[in-house]
């Protein structure tokens, strides 16, 4: 199909938090005591992981942060952009390890706000993904923080405190949260809603929504580029799936692009997660063009 309408969304490549985490590690790698351990992936992207492994960093995965620290006796550890709870800082300090903290400022600000409310006697309902490092860090801070993963989980909440606030992982869907807030207000009318979705996530979701709304139901292919473990990438995929006449292809790089599908569409929207390197996005765009 010729004369394609290819819409490359403006917000592509690394977000501010990812960029700064990567730069911090790159700038400090030579001076950090060796070996250098990464407590999880610095950001959720396999290309970034490989980049640091090639520089000699040991990437620890698939365990809780405290488990990862169990066998580390010397060298240094790197806290990823997703942040950790106070218990992890304590273990690191007790072991006398040097650490580099690359926590995204948005994550830091969000957990500080949550703790401010906890310290003022609030129970917090927290929307997040179980086992996601950011959620793991927040939940470890207080027993007054209750995790829900979706709207259905509201039924299992039983909080008797009159002081309740709602917060969330910084990379959740703005649109899912709107629906959760409506349902939560029926159960807890006085709930205080803390707005803790980061700008990068919000802007990408909004831009994608706007571009699909402009098409007004016309058939479209949405290509979402990102790592399967990236939450904000998954949220983009989920958002696009909510539109009729839209096929969503989530790919990690251009090698996963099915040109037979691409050739069947006139309208093609290209978006990417906040931890997807620009060169991967450019590669996909070039292949399509
Ligand atoms: Fe931070 Fe949001 Fe990026 S939490 S790492 S600015 S996706």
């Amino acid at each position: 199909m010729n004369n394609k309408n290819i819409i490359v969304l403006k917000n592509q490549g690394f977000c501010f938090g990812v960029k700064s985490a990567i730069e911090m590690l790159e700038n400090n790698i030579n001076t950090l005591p060796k070996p250098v351990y990464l407590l999880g992936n610095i950001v959720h992207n396999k290309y970034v992981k490989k980049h640091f492994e090639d520089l000699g960093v040991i990437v620890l995965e698939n365990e809780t942060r405290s488990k990862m620290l169990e066998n580390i006796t010397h060298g240094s550890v790197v806290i990823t952009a997703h942040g950790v709870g106070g218990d992890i800082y304590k273990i690191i300090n007790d072991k006398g390890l040097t650490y580099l903290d690359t926590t995204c400022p948005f994550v830091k600000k969000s957990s500080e706000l949550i703790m401010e409310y906890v310290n003022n006697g609030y129970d917090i309902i927290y929307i997040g993904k179980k086992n996601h490092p950011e959620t793991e860090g927040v939940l470890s801070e207080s027993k007054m923080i209750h995790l829900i993963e979706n709207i259905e989980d509201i039924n299992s909440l039983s909080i008797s405190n009159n002081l309740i606030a709602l917060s969330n992982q910084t990379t959740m869907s703005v649109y899912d949260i709107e629906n959760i807030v409506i349902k939560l207000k029926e159960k807890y009318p006085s709930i205080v809603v803390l707005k803790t979705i980061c700008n990068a996530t919000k802007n990408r979701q909004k831009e994608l929504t706007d571009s699909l709304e402009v098409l007004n139901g016309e058939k479209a292919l949405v290509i979402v580029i990102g790592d399967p473990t990236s939450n904000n990438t998954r949220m983009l995929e989920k958002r696009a799936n909510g539109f009729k006449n839209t096929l969503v292809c989530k790919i990690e790089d251009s090698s996963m692009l099915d040109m037979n599908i691409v050739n069947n569409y006139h309208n093609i929207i290209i978006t990417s997660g906040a931890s997807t390197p620009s060169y991967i996005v450019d590669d996909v765009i070039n292949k399509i063009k």
Side-chain angles (χ1 to χ4, degrees):
M1 197 180 283
N2 291 324
N3 300 322
K4 287 191 184 305
N5 177 27
I6 301 172
I7 305 158
V8 180
L9 300 187
K10 259 201 338 266
N11 292 287
Q12 303 279 359
F14 293 150
C15 63
F16 151 79
V18 166
K19 224 182 268 169
S20 104
I22 290 172
E23 278 171 16
M24 265 176 94
L25 182 50
E26 278 174 344
N27 293 341
N28 287 283
I29 206 157
N30 291 333
T31 50
L32 283 170
K34 306 292 178 295
V36 178
Y37 296 95
L38 245 171
L39 297 182
N41 280 297
I42 189 155
V43 297
H44 282 144
N45 190 279
K46 69 177 185 192
Y47 298 95
V48 178
K49 176 184 168 199
K50 175 146 190 336
H51 167 66
F52 284 114
E53 281 177 338
D54 290 346
L55 294 174
V57 174
I58 300 166
V59 182
L60 304 171
E61 286 179 287
N62 305 325
E63 303 262 35
T64 61
R65 278 22 190 187
S66 54
K67 260 257 170 269
M68 288 174 188
L69 282 163
E70 255 172 32
N71 297 322
I72 302 178
T73 52
H74 63 290
S76 48
V77 294
V78 180
I79 295 167
T80 68
H82 316 97
V84 293
D87 55 333
I88 301 300
Y89 287 106
K90 184 169 179 330
I91 300 174
I92 293 171
N93 286 327
D94 288 351
K95 284 183 170 242
L97 297 167
T98 301
Y99 71 89
L100 178 72
D101 189 353
T102 73
T103 306
C104 170
F106 279 104
V107 174
K108 231 176 220 161
K109 212 167 129 203
S110 152
S111 31
E112 280 166 9
L113 185 64
I114 291 170
M115 288 317 291
E116 202 181 300
Y117 274 79
V118 167
N119 293 334
N120 283 321
Y122 279 75
D123 273 75
I124 307 289
I125 299 170
Y126 184 84
I127 310 165
K129 292 281 159 227
K130 210 174 175 177
N131 302 325
H132 186 280
E134 182 182 343
T135 294
E136 181 190 301
V138 170
L139 293 182
S140 72
E141 296 288 45
S142 167
K143 293 262 173 299
M144 290 173 81
I145 306 172
H146 315 271
L147 175 67
I148 59 169
E149 292 195 276
N150 49 49
I151 202 157
E152 286 78 34
D153 288 352
I154 296 175
N155 299 328
S156 54
L157 288 170
S158 83
I159 304 171
S160 51
N161 193 351
N162 285 331
L163 300 175
I164 302 176
L166 174 72
S167 181
N168 51 267
Q169 215 175 289
T170 48
T171 52
M172 299 307 283
S173 157
V174 180
Y175 305 92
D176 286 355
I177 289 181
E178 278 172 6
N179 292 331
I180 291 177
V181 169
I182 293 170
K183 182 138 188 230
L184 270 174
K185 281 196 169 160
E186 290 166 8
K187 191 163 178 172
Y188 303 111
S190 61
I191 192 164
V192 177
V193 180
L194 309 177
K195 300 207 160 89
T196 49
I197 291 189
C198 74
N199 290 344
T201 299
K202 224 182 323 192
N203 294 342
R204 283 173 205 233
Q205 289 173 9
K206 177 156 189 332
E207 216 193 342
L208 174 62
T209 303
D210 290 349
S211 66
L212 280 161
E213 280 175 356
V214 165
L215 291 180
N216 202 15
E218 268 182 51
K219 194 175 142 189
L221 173 67
V222 176
I223 296 171
V224 181
I225 313 161
D227 201 89
T229 56
S230 157
N231 197 57
N232 71 84
T233 305
R234 277 199 299 256
M235 293 300 123
L236 290 169
E237 179 190 17
K238 193 171 172 208
R239 182 65 189 154
N241 268 324
F243 282 79
K244 276 194 209 131
N245 287 333
T246 301
L247 178 73
V248 185
C249 288
K250 184 148 82 67
I251 58 171
E252 289 178 59
D253 56 39
S254 66
S255 71
M256 290 173 76
L257 200 58
D258 185 336
M259 290 311 284
N260 290 323
I261 295 178
V262 171
N263 286 334
N264 266 325
Y265 282 82
H266 170 65
N267 298 312
I268 301 173
I269 297 174
I270 302 170
T271 183
S272 62
S275 49
T276 310
S278 298
Y279 70 87
I280 302 269
V281 178
D282 291 344
D283 206 27
V284 173
I285 296 169
N286 290 336
K287 190 164 175 184
I288 291 174
K289 281 190 172 166

